[in-house]
Amino acid sequence: MNKRQARLFAIGSTVVAAVAFLALTIDSHRQFPALTNAQNITPAVTHGKNVWHKNNCINCHTLFGEGAYYAPDLTKIAQQRGAPYLQAYLRDPSKFYDEQRHRRLMPKQDMTDAEIADLVAFLDWVSKVDNQGWPPRPILVTGAGVAITGTRSADQAAAVSRSAPPPGPESLPSDKDPMALGEIVFRTVSPACTACHSLVPGANMAGPSLAGVATRAQQIVSSPEYKGKAKDVEGYLSESITSPSAHLVPGAMYSANGVSFMPATFGKDLTPDQVAHLSAYLASFK
Amino acid sequence: MRYRSQSVAYGYFAVAMVLFGLQLVFGLLSAAKYLGPDSLLYILPFDVTKVVHTNLLIVWVLTGFMGATYWMVPDESRTELHSVKIAYIQLILWTLMGVSAVVGYLFRYGTGNKLLEQPLPHKIVIVICMLLFLYNVGMTIWKSRRFTTTEGVLVLGLGLAALLYLPALLEYENYTVSIFYRWWTIHLWVEGVWEMIQGGFLAYLLIRLSGADREVMEKWLYVIVGLVLIAGILGTAHHYYWVGVPAYWLPIGGIFSALEPLALIGMAIYAYSAMRRSGLAHPNTLALHWTIGSTVFTLFGAGLLGLAHTFPDVNKWTHGTLITAMHGHAAFYGAYAMIVLAMITFALPTMTPGRSERGSSIGYWAFWMQLGGMFGMTLSFATAGIAQVYLERILGMGYLDVQLKIQVHFLMLLATASLFSVGVGLFIFDFFRYAPRFDVGNEKQPTLRPDTVRPAPIS
């Protein structure tokens, strides 16, 4: 090969690669509207994106796995936390996490309620983008997720119960938001709620998925089929926690002979405050 | 120094040195925050230290590129620069832009778009500076009527880098689309046209330092550029996997990213064999260390550690973890920091008389401490990242709990980063130790010309 041929190779391969790349770019543009649900990019979502940029969120967090690695990925956060939870969190993160415990804390941002609401709308839009199913397993902020779903060994179970003495769940200082406290209960009570319930839509384990549970609870308490005592969503959730058989979710894998398979021990193991926190947390999944 | 106007390079190098030092201050601050708790949470939170850290990197490396180009183009085209005045105006404008951007970041004045945080007025100044620069370099070459392949590759790389910055000036309604075009700038810079710039400097240095034949060196430079771009352009796909694009980007990214190390292997062989075959034709062995070191560290950081996580089936677990920080630090340092340091080390003895042409022992300490430090930092990020992927992504532990479990790696990061910083501190000290004096022709040029001297091969 002489210099001229080498130059031809350089120019030729560059042109071929560039043309292929541009063709794929054009085709991607054809598919972007469907993949990203572009029709759902409302003015609120766009404003929320600007709030995301204005507050430099990307230089601690990742979104679609891109950004900095100092804070959790937020791609699917709107599916793991309800909007009321996220809004309360963004108003004051220190009500949810303890810097002494995790050695890291998100500084409180200077945002109006409208900015917060739109930021949450933006994160909700992000969580619904078709991104090839990433992440393959939910990325949690705290606690343990998949390892506790029945695959854990006796040793691990013992280790977990040592770190969180049963039956009382781990505690945070009581100045935290009820939803934050409820989330701790959700993950650390024994037996853990996460052992049977996922927060991913449609991912039913031993118990039904709790994604959107607040909306379903609303429908249940207002339907004539419902025979329990609760009048509202939080009441229904509390009742389901303390007396699981008061209302049965249809499905042979969840109950038999009018008795729910869910342990009926939470009524006496949890304090009324803890039940209230847990209900507040679950009620954020609209 | 053969041409008086080459002295403008000194100003660029000096600015680059100061910004490099400042970059490390913010890097060390960011690393300390990984250990936490953060006593500066409301004064200088992580997002601010991190954005300053990465932006200073981009600014100082580009400053170095510009200075090195102003040094190299007169040598290659055998002429004075078109305009020294434009070069200095550009330097002042550029430095003001860089410094005011950093000050703005301290007050959260930025676009919040990763690596493209420069506010619009700053972006416009960047474009103006690039135009001044390309005009000045272009006119120099035009007037000289001598245009070598080496400087052609360099100038084309710089021109394309300016062109690829333009998508960053636009706003996109759809976040996914905005990510898509963000990578046109960032990826096609660092894994495309910036490698042309690196290749140009590399060929220049090898031709000067070794007795290698220009025709042969330039032929292989073309081959390397071809390999870089065929893999680099379509390799952009590895940034697209999980951001909301069609599925065909996954196999494309997997295949072409796997080709990327080929070009880098080629580059390392290129540098090494030039020295093996043609021997040393220049006394500056320290510059030689930086030159060969750059190709080897690029192969390690960009090639090997990039390949470690670009395959889609691997990337789906490692994406967005400290594994990326591992690759990013080693790749950027090896490819771009080291090639700029090589150019500086090569040019410095003739601009600052009194300095040994072989390089001082402080210079060698700086080299080895930086290399050891960066290698250690890479290992710290790697071990932290592997633990993070396993605990957080595979076992499903919470992010914050995992970060507590990998604190020991952050301690290791701080320790090795301190070692690296001492190495950089020594380099900066060595740079400013001798006052510049711009005498034309103080280089004993004839005895160093490759075609007149052909010492025995070093092996």
Side-chain angles (χ1 to χ4, degrees):
Chain A
M1 183 168 56
N2 60 30
K3 192 170 165 184
R4 208 179 123 264
Q5 289 165 326
R7 180 165 50 214
L8 264 177
F9 166 74
I11 295 171
S13 56
T14 305
V15 169
V16 169
V19 167
F21 185 64
L22 288 174
L24 293 171
T25 298
I26 292 168
D27 185 69
S28 297
H29 266 285
R30 205 173 51 77
Q31 301 195 39
F32 278 142
L35 287 164
T36 63
N37 309 305
Q39 74 282 2
N40 295 340
I41 304 179
T42 59
V45 170
T46 301
H47 180 235
K49 184 192 73 174
N50 295 340
V51 175
W52 169 266
H53 282 149
K54 188 179 125 197
N55 287 281
N56 204 19
C57 310
I58 198 87
N59 275 302
C60 287
H61 290 280
T62 48
L63 206 53
F64 296 121
E66 289 190 352
Y69 317 110
Y70 188 68
D73 184 79
L74 300 178
T75 311
K76 302 288 177 191
I77 196 72
Q79 287 176 8
Q80 293 176 10
R81 308 268 195 279
Y85 180 113
L86 291 175
Q87 288 168 3
Y89 174 77
L90 286 165
R91 277 194 283 275
D92 188 359
S94 71
K95 290 263 186 284
F96 287 73
Y97 295 102
D98 189 352
E99 193 180 9
Q100 292 316 310
R101 186 172 151 189
H102 284 114
R103 307 185 73 88
R104 253 178 241 188
L105 181 67
M106 173 167 151
K108 191 177 164 188
Q109 305 294 310
D110 185 19
M111 289 188 282
T112 65
D113 279 358
E115 286 178 322
I116 288 174
D118 291 347
L119 179 54
V120 172
F122 169 66
L123 291 173
D124 186 58
W125 170 80
V126 166
S127 76
K128 291 179 180 137
V129 167
D130 175 3
N131 68 337
Q132 315 297 335
W134 189 87
R137 216 167 265 189
I139 301 172
L140 303 177
V141 179
T142 53
V146 185
I148 299 191
T149 56
T151 57
R152 138 185 96 140
S153 68
D155 283 354
Q156 283 173 307
V160 169
S161 53
R162 268 197 305 279
S163 65
E170 283 179 42
S171 60
L172 268 182
S174 55
D175 65 329
K176 302 296 173 194
D177 190 283
M179 287 184 285
L181 299 169
E183 189 193 4
I184 304 277
V185 176
F186 185 74
R187 301 201 182 285
T188 59
V189 66
S190 179
C193 310
T194 47
C196 299
H197 295 284
S198 86
L199 295 170
V200 179
N204 297 318
M205 301 194 289
S209 162
L210 295 178
V213 69
T215 309
R216 288 200 302 282
Q218 185 62 51
Q219 289 160 355
I220 290 168
V221 288
S222 52
S223 93
E225 308 285 300
Y226 177 64
K227 301 285 183 275
K229 299 192 194 73
K231 302 275 180 285
D232 56 8
V233 172
E234 297 211 10
Y236 170 79
L237 291 168
S238 300
E239 182 187 69
S240 305
I241 294 160
T242 52
S243 40
S245 301
H247 175 83
L248 296 174
V249 174
M253 61 291 209
Y254 300 140
S255 64
N257 304 324
V259 179
S260 167
F261 294 155
M262 175 167 148
T265 54
F266 296 111
K268 64 177 166 37
D269 289 346
L270 295 176
T271 67
D273 275 352
Q274 287 172 328
V275 174
H277 295 154
L278 193 48
S279 306
Y281 171 64
L282 293 174
S284 74
F285 292 98
K286 295 248 193 299
Chain B
M1 197 164 78
R2 276 187 285 179
Y3 302 96
R4 180 166 297 280
S5 55
Q6 281 180 299
S7 63
V8 297
Y10 186 85
Y12 281 85
F13 291 157
V15 170
M17 286 294 97
V18 172
L19 297 181
F20 189 14
L22 209 54
Q23 187 210 347
L24 299 194
V25 172
F26 285 88
L28 287 169
L29 268 174
S30 305
K33 288 169 196 289
Y34 270 98
L35 284 168
D38 184 5
S39 50
L40 302 175
L41 189 62
Y42 284 97
I43 305 161
L44 214 54
F46 182 86
D47 68 287
V48 174
T49 57
K50 196 254 177 191
V51 70
V52 174
H53 177 65
T54 49
N55 274 259
L56 278 173
L57 167 70
I58 299 172
V59 175
W60 89 253
V61 165
L62 281 171
T63 315
F65 282 174
M66 290 170 179
T69 306
Y70 278 139
W71 173 268
M72 175 181 138
V73 165
D75 256 359
E76 286 286 296
S77 281
R78 298 188 188 158
T79 179
E80 293 287 352
L81 281 178
H82 169 64
S83 166
V84 170
K85 202 166 138 199
I86 290 181
Y88 277 118
I89 291 173
Q90 180 210 334
L91 175 62
I92 291 166
L93 206 57
W94 177 259
T95 309
L96 284 177
M97 181 285 300
V99 171
S100 64
V102 166
V103 172
Y105 294 146
L106 298 178
F107 301 97
R108 283 268 185 91
Y109 177 59
T111 66
N113 193 6
K114 187 186 175 190
L115 299 174
L116 298 175
E117 289 93 350
Q118 310 84 33
L120 190 60
H122 291 75
K123 285 195 170 119
I124 291 168
V125 174
I126 290 172
V127 172
I128 292 171
C129 285
M130 287 306 283
L131 289 176
L132 284 176
F133 174 62
L134 291 170
Y135 169 77
N136 205 7
V137 170
M139 285 302 286
T140 306
I141 295 172
W142 176 259
K143 286 201 309 200
S144 78
R145 307 262 169 230
R146 188 184 139 85
F147 189 40
T148 66
T149 298
T150 302
E151 71 183 345
V153 167
L154 171 69
V155 172
L156 192 62
L158 291 162
L160 288 172
L163 189 69
L164 286 167
Y165 189 65
L166 298 182
L169 293 163
L170 304 174
E171 285 251 6
Y172 306 90
E173 183 83 359
N174 188 326
Y175 193 76
T176 292
V177 177
S178 120
I179 294 176
F180 191 89
Y181 286 108
R182 197 167 69 77
W183 289 118
W184 278 38
T185 302
I186 305 299
H187 171 88
L188 291 177
W189 268 7
V190 298
E191 282 162 76
V193 297
W194 281 27
E195 284 189 34
M196 291 174 73
I197 299 171
Q198 187 197 11
F201 289 141
L202 188 63
Y204 168 82
L205 286 165
L206 291 173
I207 291 168
R208 304 276 147 170
L209 290 170
S210 80
D213 179 60
R214 182 181 278 274
E215 281 298 302
V216 175
M217 293 310 281
E218 293 186 338
K219 178 177 87 182
W220 288 108
L221 180 60
Y222 274 132
V223 174
I224 288 169
V225 167
L227 288 173
V228 161
L229 290 177
I230 204 169
I233 292 173
L234 286 165
T236 314
H238 64 231
H239 296 288
Y240 289 166
Y241 296 159
W242 323 116
V243 304
V245 296
Y248 52 69
W249 287 107
L250 273 74
I252 291 174
I255 294 164
F256 286 92
S257 308
L259 290 179
E260 279 189 59
L262 267 190
L264 304 177
I265 291 172
M267 210 185 262
I269 294 175
Y270 176 69
Y272 187 68
S273 63
M275 307 316 304
R276 287 281 293 193
R277 290 227 198 120
S278 315
L280 207 57
H282 195 282
N284 197 335
T285 46
L286 184 58
L288 180 70
H289 275 68
W290 283 109
T291 307
I292 308 270
S294 172
T295 64
V296 173
F297 218 88
T298 303
L299 177 58
F300 165 68
L304 190 71
L305 298 183
L307 186 65
H309 68 137
T310 48
F311 199 65
D313 266 355
V314 175
N315 191 259
K316 88 177 163 194
W317 300 107
T318 61
H319 181 54
T321 64
L322 291 162
I323 294 289
T324 313
M326 157 196 86
H327 161 63
H329 280 78
F332 233 104
Y333 177 71
Y336 304 122
M338 284 182 79
I339 199 72
V340 169
L341 300 181
M343 286 297 285
I344 292 177
T345 306
F346 176 74
L348 215 48
T350 60
M351 289 196 284
T352 54
R355 187 186 295 276
S356 159
E357 280 208 272
R358 298 183 177 281
S360 60
S361 66
I362 293 182
Y364 279 98
W365 275 100
F367 175 82
W368 288 112
M369 285 176 90
Q370 285 186 38
L371 240 61
M374 183 50 79
F375 190 69
M377 287 165 68
T378 307
L379 285 185
S380 311
F381 279 122
T383 45
I386 291 164
Q388 184 189 4
V389 168
Y390 184 67
L391 294 174
E392 178 192 315
R393 301 298 173 84
I394 294 176
L395 288 188
M397 263 175 89
Y399 172 91
L400 287 169
D401 304 302
V402 172
Q403 294 289 310
L404 279 178
K405 293 213 183 296
I406 56 180
Q407 292 266 311
V408 65
H409 304 294
F410 299 142
L411 277 175
M412 190 170 133
L413 175 66
L414 257 184
T416 50
S418 305
L419 180 70
F420 179 77
S421 303
V422 174
V424 173
L426 288 178
F427 192 98
I428 297 173
F429 169 73
D430 200 42
F431 180 94
F432 288 110
R433 200 149 58 114
Y434 297 95
R437 209 174 71 220
F438 306 120
D439 299 331
V440 175
N442 59 4
E443 201 177 354
K444 294 185 286 297
Q445 200 59 37
T447 61
L448 300 169
R449 288 275 287 280
D451 46 348
T452 53
V453 173
R454 197 165 285 269
I458 44 175
S459 61

